PDB file of all heavy atoms in Angstrom:
ATOM      1  N   GLU A  67     252.972 162.465  58.728  1.00 98.00           N
ATOM      2  CA  GLU A  67     252.206 163.712  58.805  1.00 98.00           C
ATOM      3  C   GLU A  67     252.193 164.275  60.197  1.00 98.00           C
ATOM      4  O   GLU A  67     252.250 165.477  60.383  1.00 98.00           O
ATOM      5  CB  GLU A  67     250.795 163.533  58.256  1.00 98.00           C
ATOM      6  CG  GLU A  67     250.747 163.378  56.742  1.00 98.00           C
ATOM      7  CD  GLU A  67     249.374 163.402  56.143  1.00 98.00           C
ATOM      8  OE1 GLU A  67     248.402 163.821  56.821  1.00 98.00           O
ATOM      9  OE2 GLU A  67     249.250 163.094  54.939  1.00 98.00           O
ATOM     10  N   GLU A  70     255.424 166.034  60.787  1.00 96.00           N
ATOM     11  CA  GLU A  70     255.409 167.331  60.109  1.00 96.00           C
ATOM     12  C   GLU A  70     254.583 168.329  60.897  1.00 96.00           C
ATOM     13  O   GLU A  70     254.973 169.510  61.005  1.00 96.00           O
ATOM     14  CB  GLU A  70     254.847 167.192  58.679  1.00 96.00           C
ATOM     15  CG  GLU A  70     255.759 166.370  57.759  1.00 96.00           C
ATOM     16  CD  GLU A  70     255.058 166.025  56.486  1.00 96.00           C
ATOM     17  OE1 GLU A  70     253.888 166.298  56.251  1.00 96.00           O
ATOM     18  OE2 GLU A  70     255.789 165.365  55.601  1.00 96.00           O
ATOM     19  N   TYR A  71     253.450 167.894  61.423  1.00 96.00           N
ATOM     20  CA  TYR A  71     252.577 168.756  62.226  1.00 96.00           C
ATOM     21  C   TYR A  71     253.355 169.289  63.456  1.00 96.00           C
ATOM     22  O   TYR A  71     253.384 170.484  63.704  1.00 96.00           O
ATOM     23  CB  TYR A  71     251.302 168.014  62.671  1.00 96.00           C
ATOM     24  CG  TYR A  71     250.512 168.750  63.715  1.00 96.00           C
ATOM     25  CD1 TYR A  71     249.685 169.826  63.324  1.00 96.00           C
ATOM     26  CD2 TYR A  71     250.606 168.429  65.082  1.00 96.00           C
ATOM     27  CE1 TYR A  71     248.937 170.522  64.299  1.00 96.00           C
ATOM     28  CE2 TYR A  71     249.879 169.108  66.017  1.00 96.00           C
ATOM     29  CZ  TYR A  71     249.048 170.158  65.620  1.00 96.00           C
ATOM     30  OH  TYR A  71     248.329 170.862  66.588  1.00 96.00           O
ATOM     31  N   PHE A  72     253.976 168.376  64.201  1.00 96.00           N
ATOM     32  CA  PHE A  72     254.706 168.785  65.405  1.00 96.00           C
ATOM     33  C   PHE A  72     255.908 169.646  65.049  1.00 96.00           C
ATOM     34  O   PHE A  72     256.328 170.445  65.881  1.00 96.00           O
ATOM     35  CB  PHE A  72     255.071 167.545  66.229  1.00 96.00           C
ATOM     36  CG  PHE A  72     253.908 167.004  66.951  1.00 96.00           C
ATOM     37  CD1 PHE A  72     253.461 165.694  66.711  1.00 96.00           C
ATOM     38  CD2 PHE A  72     253.216 167.702  67.907  1.00 96.00           C
ATOM     39  CE1 PHE A  72     252.400 165.141  67.395  1.00 96.00           C
ATOM     40  CE2 PHE A  72     252.144 167.155  68.599  1.00 96.00           C
ATOM     41  CZ  PHE A  72     251.714 165.853  68.327  1.00 96.00           C
ATOM     42  N   GLY A  74     255.791 171.924  62.876  1.00 92.00           N
ATOM     43  CA  GLY A  74     255.270 173.182  62.322  1.00 92.00           C
ATOM     44  C   GLY A  74     255.244 173.260  60.807  1.00 92.00           C
ATOM     45  O   GLY A  74     255.097 174.336  60.252  1.00 92.00           O
ATOM     46  N   GLU A  75     255.352 172.092  60.140  1.00 93.00           N
ATOM     47  CA  GLU A  75     255.389 172.060  58.717  1.00 93.00           C
ATOM     48  C   GLU A  75     254.083 171.612  58.056  1.00 93.00           C
ATOM     49  O   GLU A  75     253.972 171.575  56.826  1.00 93.00           O
ATOM     50  CB  GLU A  75     256.527 171.095  58.263  1.00 93.00           C
ATOM     51  CG  GLU A  75     257.883 171.516  58.759  1.00 93.00           C
ATOM     52  CD  GLU A  75     258.901 170.417  58.652  1.00 93.00           C
ATOM     53  OE1 GLU A  75     258.574 169.290  58.237  1.00 93.00           O
ATOM     54  OE2 GLU A  75     260.074 170.690  58.987  1.00 93.00           O
ATOM     55  N   ARG A  76     253.103 171.292  58.858  1.00 95.00           N
ATOM     56  CA  ARG A  76     251.830 170.790  58.322  1.00 95.00           C
ATOM     57  C   ARG A  76     250.668 171.395  59.113  1.00 95.00           C
ATOM     58  O   ARG A  76     250.679 171.356  60.344  1.00 95.00           O
ATOM     59  CB  ARG A  76     251.739 169.256  58.354  1.00 95.00           C
ATOM     60  CG  ARG A  76     250.385 168.719  57.924  1.00 95.00           C
ATOM     61  CD  ARG A  76     250.398 167.217  57.810  1.00 95.00           C
ATOM     62  NE  ARG A  76     251.205 166.785  56.711  1.00 95.00           N
ATOM     63  CZ  ARG A  76     250.779 166.708  55.439  1.00 95.00           C
ATOM     64  NH1 ARG A  76     249.568 167.125  55.133  1.00 95.00           N
ATOM     65  NH2 ARG A  76     251.605 166.274  54.509  1.00 95.00           N
ATOM     66  N   GLU A  77     249.696 171.938  58.394  1.00 95.00           N
ATOM     67  CA  GLU A  77     248.512 172.524  59.072  1.00 95.00           C
ATOM     68  C   GLU A  77     247.264 171.676  58.891  1.00 95.00           C
ATOM     69  O   GLU A  77     246.340 171.731  59.694  1.00 95.00           O
ATOM     70  CB  GLU A  77     248.279 173.934  58.524  1.00 95.00           C
ATOM     71  CG  GLU A  77     249.360 174.894  58.888  1.00 95.00           C
ATOM     72  CD  GLU A  77     249.093 176.264  58.429  1.00 95.00           C
ATOM     73  OE1 GLU A  77     248.024 176.576  57.836  1.00 95.00           O
ATOM     74  OE2 GLU A  77     249.983 177.150  58.619  1.00 95.00           O
ATOM     75  N   ARG A  78     247.205 170.843  57.819  1.00 94.00           N
ATOM     76  CA  ARG A  78     246.056 169.974  57.607  1.00 94.00           C
ATOM     77  C   ARG A  78     246.587 168.568  57.267  1.00 94.00           C
ATOM     78  O   ARG A  78     247.615 168.449  56.636  1.00 94.00           O
ATOM     79  CB  ARG A  78     245.236 170.458  56.400  1.00 94.00           C
ATOM     80  CG  ARG A  78     244.492 171.776  56.713  1.00 94.00           C
ATOM     81  CD  ARG A  78     243.492 172.135  55.657  1.00 94.00           C
ATOM     82  NE  ARG A  78     242.341 171.242  55.586  1.00 94.00           N
ATOM     83  CZ  ARG A  78     241.219 171.378  56.263  1.00 94.00           C
ATOM     84  NH1 ARG A  78     241.097 172.335  57.169  1.00 94.00           N
ATOM     85  NH2 ARG A  78     240.250 170.542  56.120  1.00 94.00           N
ATOM     86  N   PHE A  79     245.843 167.593  57.700  1.00 97.00           N
ATOM     87  CA  PHE A  79     246.216 166.218  57.466  1.00 97.00           C
ATOM     88  C   PHE A  79     245.522 165.734  56.211  1.00 97.00           C
ATOM     89  O   PHE A  79     244.366 166.111  55.928  1.00 97.00           O
ATOM     90  CB  PHE A  79     245.849 165.333  58.667  1.00 97.00           C
ATOM     91  CG  PHE A  79     246.618 165.701  59.906  1.00 97.00           C
ATOM     92  CD1 PHE A  79     246.161 166.623  60.806  1.00 97.00           C
ATOM     93  CD2 PHE A  79     247.859 165.143  60.136  1.00 97.00           C
ATOM     94  CE1 PHE A  79     246.910 166.976  61.941  1.00 97.00           C
ATOM     95  CE2 PHE A  79     248.612 165.465  61.255  1.00 97.00           C
ATOM     96  CZ  PHE A  79     248.120 166.399  62.123  1.00 97.00           C
ATOM     97  N   SER A  80     246.215 164.858  55.449  1.00 97.00           N
ATOM     98  CA  SER A  80     245.626 164.383  54.205  1.00 97.00           C
ATOM     99  C   SER A  80     245.288 162.878  54.294  1.00 97.00           C
ATOM    100  O   SER A  80     244.666 162.356  53.335  1.00 97.00           O
ATOM    101  CB  SER A  80     246.596 164.590  53.044  1.00 97.00           C
ATOM    102  OG  SER A  80     247.760 163.868  53.226  1.00 97.00           O
ATOM    103  N   ALA A  99     236.556 169.822  62.183  1.00 95.00           N
ATOM    104  CA  ALA A  99     237.639 169.686  61.197  1.00 95.00           C
ATOM    105  C   ALA A  99     237.802 170.944  60.360  1.00 95.00           C
ATOM    106  O   ALA A  99     238.839 171.178  59.766  1.00 95.00           O
ATOM    107  CB  ALA A  99     237.410 168.482  60.319  1.00 95.00           C
ATOM    108  N   VAL A 101     237.654 174.039  61.648  1.00 96.00           N
ATOM    109  CA  VAL A 101     238.258 175.108  62.415  1.00 96.00           C
ATOM    110  C   VAL A 101     239.719 175.267  62.004  1.00 96.00           C
ATOM    111  O   VAL A 101     240.519 174.303  62.059  1.00 96.00           O
ATOM    112  CB  VAL A 101     238.201 174.848  63.948  1.00 96.00           C
ATOM    113  CG1 VAL A 101     238.881 175.939  64.753  1.00 96.00           C
ATOM    114  CG2 VAL A 101     236.757 174.669  64.388  1.00 96.00           C
ATOM    115  N   PRO A 102     240.116 176.434  61.503  1.00 96.00           N
ATOM    116  CA  PRO A 102     241.443 176.617  60.933  1.00 96.00           C
ATOM    117  C   PRO A 102     242.571 176.400  61.938  1.00 96.00           C
ATOM    118  O   PRO A 102     242.406 176.660  63.139  1.00 96.00           O
ATOM    119  CB  PRO A 102     241.443 178.067  60.451  1.00 96.00           C
ATOM    120  CG  PRO A 102     240.025 178.465  60.355  1.00 96.00           C
ATOM    121  CD  PRO A 102     239.302 177.654  61.394  1.00 96.00           C
ATOM    122  N   TYR A 103     243.682 175.957  61.428  1.00 96.00           N
ATOM    123  CA  TYR A 103     244.890 175.804  62.207  1.00 96.00           C
ATOM    124  C   TYR A 103     245.230 177.121  62.925  1.00 96.00           C
ATOM    125  O   TYR A 103     245.150 178.199  62.323  1.00 96.00           O
ATOM    126  CB  TYR A 103     246.020 175.475  61.201  1.00 96.00           C
ATOM    127  CG  TYR A 103     247.395 175.283  61.768  1.00 96.00           C
ATOM    128  CD1 TYR A 103     247.843 174.036  62.182  1.00 96.00           C
ATOM    129  CD2 TYR A 103     248.310 176.340  61.869  1.00 96.00           C
ATOM    130  CE1 TYR A 103     249.126 173.808  62.682  1.00 96.00           C
ATOM    131  CE2 TYR A 103     249.605 176.162  62.380  1.00 96.00           C
ATOM    132  CZ  TYR A 103     250.001 174.879  62.773  1.00 96.00           C
ATOM    133  OH  TYR A 103     251.229 174.729  63.266  1.00 96.00           O
ATOM    134  N   GLY A 104     245.553 177.059  64.180  1.00 94.00           N
ATOM    135  CA  GLY A 104     245.927 178.245  64.968  1.00 94.00           C
ATOM    136  C   GLY A 104     244.725 179.045  65.454  1.00 94.00           C
ATOM    137  O   GLY A 104     244.924 180.045  66.111  1.00 94.00           O
ATOM    138  N   LEU A 136     243.823 165.459  67.279  1.00 93.00           N
ATOM    139  CA  LEU A 136     244.836 166.037  66.420  1.00 93.00           C
ATOM    140  C   LEU A 136     244.351 166.124  64.973  1.00 93.00           C
ATOM    141  O   LEU A 136     244.390 167.159  64.380  1.00 93.00           O
ATOM    142  CB  LEU A 136     246.185 165.311  66.491  1.00 93.00           C
ATOM    143  CG  LEU A 136     246.881 165.337  67.819  1.00 93.00           C
ATOM    144  CD1 LEU A 136     248.144 164.491  67.794  1.00 93.00           C
ATOM    145  CD2 LEU A 136     247.218 166.709  68.291  1.00 93.00           C
ATOM    146  N   LEU A 137     243.875 164.997  64.388  1.00 95.00           N
ATOM    147  CA  LEU A 137     243.408 165.023  63.039  1.00 95.00           C
ATOM    148  C   LEU A 137     242.086 165.779  62.933  1.00 95.00           C
ATOM    149  O   LEU A 137     241.851 166.530  61.980  1.00 95.00           O
ATOM    150  CB  LEU A 137     243.221 163.596  62.459  1.00 95.00           C
ATOM    151  CG  LEU A 137     244.421 162.674  62.603  1.00 95.00           C
ATOM    152  CD1 LEU A 137     244.145 161.332  61.914  1.00 95.00           C
ATOM    153  CD2 LEU A 137     245.675 163.295  62.050  1.00 95.00           C
ATOM    154  N   PRO A 139     240.679 168.384  65.260  1.00 94.00           N
ATOM    155  CA  PRO A 139     241.386 169.113  66.303  1.00 94.00           C
ATOM    156  C   PRO A 139     240.514 169.577  67.495  1.00 94.00           C
ATOM    157  O   PRO A 139     240.143 170.714  67.641  1.00 94.00           O
ATOM    158  CB  PRO A 139     241.905 170.338  65.557  1.00 94.00           C
ATOM    159  CG  PRO A 139     240.923 170.563  64.435  1.00 94.00           C
ATOM    160  CD  PRO A 139     240.491 169.199  64.041  1.00 94.00           C
ATOM    161  N   HIS A 141     241.398 170.093  70.333  1.00 92.00           N
ATOM    162  CA  HIS A 141     242.124 171.065  71.191  1.00 92.00           C
ATOM    163  C   HIS A 141     241.778 172.490  70.777  1.00 92.00           C
ATOM    164  O   HIS A 141     242.032 173.415  71.531  1.00 92.00           O
ATOM    165  CB  HIS A 141     243.647 170.866  71.103  1.00 92.00           C
ATOM    166  CG  HIS A 141     244.193 170.982  69.717  1.00 92.00           C
ATOM    167  ND1 HIS A 141     244.173 169.896  68.798  1.00 92.00           N
ATOM    168  CD2 HIS A 141     244.762 171.992  69.099  1.00 92.00           C
ATOM    169  CE1 HIS A 141     244.711 170.339  67.684  1.00 92.00           C
ATOM    170  NE2 HIS A 141     245.107 171.602  67.836  1.00 92.00           N
ATOM    171  N   ARG A 142     241.144 172.680  69.639  1.00 94.00           N
ATOM    172  CA  ARG A 142     240.781 174.030  69.185  1.00 94.00           C
ATOM    173  C   ARG A 142     239.426 174.522  69.700  1.00 94.00           C
ATOM    174  O   ARG A 142     238.946 175.557  69.320  1.00 94.00           O
ATOM    175  CB  ARG A 142     240.773 174.094  67.662  1.00 94.00           C
ATOM    176  CG  ARG A 142     242.180 173.870  67.075  1.00 94.00           C
ATOM    177  CD  ARG A 142     242.181 173.942  65.565  1.00 94.00           C
ATOM    178  NE  ARG A 142     243.474 173.484  65.054  1.00 94.00           N
ATOM    179  CZ  ARG A 142     243.617 172.956  63.836  1.00 94.00           C
ATOM    180  NH1 ARG A 142     242.619 172.852  63.033  1.00 94.00           N
ATOM    181  NH2 ARG A 142     244.814 172.533  63.461  1.00 94.00           N
ATOM    182  N   GLU A 167     250.600 175.693  67.464  1.00 94.00           N
ATOM    183  CA  GLU A 167     249.971 176.183  66.282  1.00 94.00           C
ATOM    184  C   GLU A 167     250.114 177.688  66.143  1.00 94.00           C
ATOM    185  O   GLU A 167     250.158 178.208  65.048  1.00 94.00           O
ATOM    186  CB  GLU A 167     248.466 175.791  66.239  1.00 94.00           C
ATOM    187  CG  GLU A 167     248.281 174.305  66.018  1.00 94.00           C
ATOM    188  CD  GLU A 167     246.832 173.902  65.871  1.00 94.00           C
ATOM    189  OE1 GLU A 167     245.923 174.774  65.815  1.00 94.00           O
ATOM    190  OE2 GLU A 167     246.583 172.668  65.801  1.00 94.00           O
ATOM    191  N   ARG A 169     252.707 179.210  67.392  1.00 84.00           N
ATOM    192  CA  ARG A 169     254.162 179.419  67.489  1.00 84.00           C
ATOM    193  C   ARG A 169     254.531 180.324  68.627  1.00 84.00           C
ATOM    194  O   ARG A 169     255.331 181.235  68.496  1.00 84.00           O
ATOM    195  CB  ARG A 169     254.734 179.948  66.169  1.00 84.00           C
ATOM    196  CG  ARG A 169     254.643 178.961  65.051  1.00 84.00           C
ATOM    197  CD  ARG A 169     255.636 177.855  65.270  1.00 84.00           C
ATOM    198  NE  ARG A 169     255.461 176.785  64.330  1.00 84.00           N
ATOM    199  CZ  ARG A 169     255.157 175.526  64.719  1.00 84.00           C
ATOM    200  NH1 ARG A 169     254.998 175.202  65.977  1.00 84.00           N
ATOM    201  NH2 ARG A 169     255.007 174.593  63.836  1.00 84.00           N
TER     202      ARG A 169
END
Side-chain angles (χ1 to χ4, degrees):
E67 288 190 11
E70 292 168 358
Y71 168 80
F72 285 117
E75 300 165 356
R76 174 173 291 277
E77 294 183 3
R78 291 190 68 88
F79 294 92
S80 66
V101 177
Y103 179 91
L136 298 175
L137 307 185
H141 60 277
R142 295 182 191 153
E167 290 184 6
R169 294 287 170 241

